[in-house]
Amino acid sequence: MSPQYTNARVLISKIPENTAPNKSHFRTEIISITAPELKDNELFVKTLVISLDPWIRHTFPEGSTEAPVVGYAIALVLNSKNPKFPVGAVVYGPGEWAEYNHISDPVHLADVNRYDEAITSSGLALSLFNGILGVPAFTVWHSLKKVADLKEGETIYISSAAGTLGQIAGQLAKRKGLRVIGSAGSQEKIDYLINELGFDAAFNYKTQDKKQALLAAAGPKGLDIYYDLVGDDTVDIALEILNPKGRVISVGTLNAHHNNPVALIRNAEQILWKQLRFEGYTVFENYELFPAFWKEIVPLVKSGALKFKEYVAEARLEDGELDLRVVSESYVDLLAGKHAGKVSVHVADL
């Protein structure tokens, strides 16, 4: 007889258009499940640390107003029919915000990566593999190498610079000899960017005119690269300001995760007249480069040369019971910009 599990999970309700998610749109439930009979390549895993990212997925069954939330997490393989991920392996991949997950969707299975060797050899905390040593940092590392074409002496502007990706992008660009400008939504974050991460300039996009602030920060040498993590109307400002042969790298759409539409480009003619390059980057087809990424970045993290902030919420109560309400609460706080850096939720120890 297959083992029985008590499984806590988070559900999301349908959110009206142009409404940012809030805590009332989520609820947790506890259900009883039977360990699944796995088919070829499938996995049954226990969640260890949930990665909270602005982008989440959910599909509402016909006639339903609620659906499980699908995000990413570090998990322990409890049962496997997949030779890449044996029982006992530690993996990172998509799954419901839940204590246990049956990963069966071929699309989800293609997005699973094995982390246990890197975790063991580094000796670093699991949560770091959701951020500074995980997909967010890998996204930055590879997009800067592949798309940005960084050149010493150039100037790069990074939106949402105090977030997980922005912090890393600024520091890696500085290491390549670029002048780095960032924007963030509070004075505390501005101070962190300049005083701790070494950004050359930063401004508060909530209280300052973005165009004037960016012009002032760029100075007479102008702007060469816009690293876009937001997907709002800032791209029009950047296109206007960018030097000839400048680049726009579209990596994130934080604005859309607030249920706002992604901004339409209104001055695309700048791309033609200034011979600009506008390119998007997604990480999914590049996972085979993770070993090279870890080889370069792990020593920088261990030495303190690459700084980072993270916030890890605890889902275990003092009596050991699991309370996944903290997942949705932390997600809403993430969208509201209450935390600098990577946000994770600890569910269980390895």
Side-chain angles (χ1 to χ4, degrees):
M1 184 175 179
S2 298
Q4 299 289 309
Y5 294 88
T6 299
N7 195 26
R9 66 177 186 171
V10 179
L11 302 177
I12 186 171
S13 60
K14 289 187 175 180
I15 302 172
E17 191 173 349
N18 297 323
T19 301
N22 62 56
K23 294 173 185 178
S24 70
H25 296 127
F26 299 91
R27 75 176 180 91
T28 59
E29 69 172 6
I30 298 176
I31 58 175
S32 179
I33 63 171
T34 300
E37 295 292 331
L38 301 181
K39 298 178 182 178
D40 287 349
N41 294 319
E42 293 183 353
L43 302 172
F44 183 58
V45 303
K46 179 179 181 179
T47 301
L48 302 176
V49 186
I50 294 173
S51 172
L52 291 185
D53 308 286
W55 182 68
I56 57 175
R57 290 179 283 189
H58 39 77
T59 301
F60 294 99
E62 186 174 351
S64 174
T65 59
E66 285 188 318
V69 181
V70 176
Y72 283 80
I74 297 170
L76 176 67
V77 176
L78 299 180
N79 195 8
S80 173
K81 282 289 188 73
N82 193 316
K84 293 182 180 178
F85 312 111
V87 172
V90 179
V91 298
Y92 173 90
E96 294 181 11
W97 285 354
E99 187 173 8
Y100 298 97
N101 268 287
H102 175 201
I103 307 178
S104 58
D105 186 325
V107 174
H108 289 179
L109 287 165
D111 205 10
V112 174
N113 286 278
R114 189 170 177 180
Y115 276 17
D116 45 311
E117 292 180 12
I119 289 169
T120 301
S121 63
S122 73
L124 295 170
L126 277 177
S127 61
L128 299 188
F129 288 82
N130 274 340
I132 191 70
L133 295 175
V135 168
F138 177 84
T139 298
V140 173
W141 175 81
H142 193 236
S143 64
L144 290 179
K145 286 178 177 290
K146 181 181 179 181
V147 183
D149 189 24
L150 302 181
K151 296 182 178 67
E152 185 175 354
E154 289 188 326
T155 297
I156 185 172
Y157 164 54
I158 302 162
S159 55
S160 190
T164 310
L165 280 73
Q167 292 183 31
I168 301 162
Q171 292 180 85
L172 292 182
K174 285 293 292 181
R175 293 181 65 84
K176 291 289 186 180
L178 278 76
R179 186 168 183 273
V180 178
I181 302 167
S183 58
S186 72
Q187 189 57 48
E188 179 184 2
K189 292 179 179 178
I190 297 300
D191 293 342
Y192 174 67
L193 293 175
I194 294 174
N195 298 330
E196 296 191 46
L197 299 188
F199 279 52
D200 297 283
F203 62 89
N204 188 328
Y205 70 89
K206 291 182 179 179
T207 61
Q208 296 177 260
D209 180 276
K210 288 186 287 189
K211 181 177 179 179
Q212 295 305 315
L214 185 53
L215 281 169
K221 290 189 175 182
L223 182 66
D224 301 292
I225 304 168
Y226 174 37
Y227 196 80
D228 184 9
L229 294 168
V230 179
D232 67 358
D233 59 2
T234 305
V235 70
D236 280 322
I237 298 171
L239 289 173
E240 183 178 341
I241 294 173
L242 277 166
N243 293 327
K245 301 293 182 71
R247 286 87 75 199
V248 176
I249 300 94
S250 177
V251 183
T253 55
L254 181 59
N255 194 50
H257 304 307
H258 292 271
N259 262 4
N260 296 320
V262 176
L264 298 175
I265 299 173
R266 301 184 184 280
N267 56 352
E269 71 277 3
Q270 297 285 343
I271 299 173
L272 170 62
W273 303 127
K274 292 195 286 189
Q275 301 177 69
L276 305 177
R277 182 153 58 88
F278 196 126
E279 188 169 346
Y281 175 87
T282 58
V283 70
F284 308 111
E285 67 273 22
N286 300 299
Y287 287 144
E288 75 279 359
L289 297 174
F290 252 110
F293 160 74
W294 282 321
K295 184 177 180 180
E296 180 178 336
I297 299 301
V298 167
L300 297 178
V301 173
K302 296 183 80 168
S303 70
L306 195 60
K307 298 179 175 63
F308 64 93
K309 276 191 174 183
E310 68 165 351
Y311 174 77
V312 182
E314 179 55 64
R316 291 284 171 184
L317 302 176
E318 290 186 1
D319 61 5
E321 290 295 313
L322 183 65
D323 185 358
L324 287 188
R325 286 178 298 181
V326 71
V327 181
S328 54
E329 291 169 356
S330 298
Y331 176 72
V332 172
D333 288 346
L334 166 68
L335 292 184
K338 292 187 178 180
H339 304 296
K342 182 62 191 177
V343 180
S344 298
V345 178
H346 172 260
V347 176
D349 293 326
L350 182 58

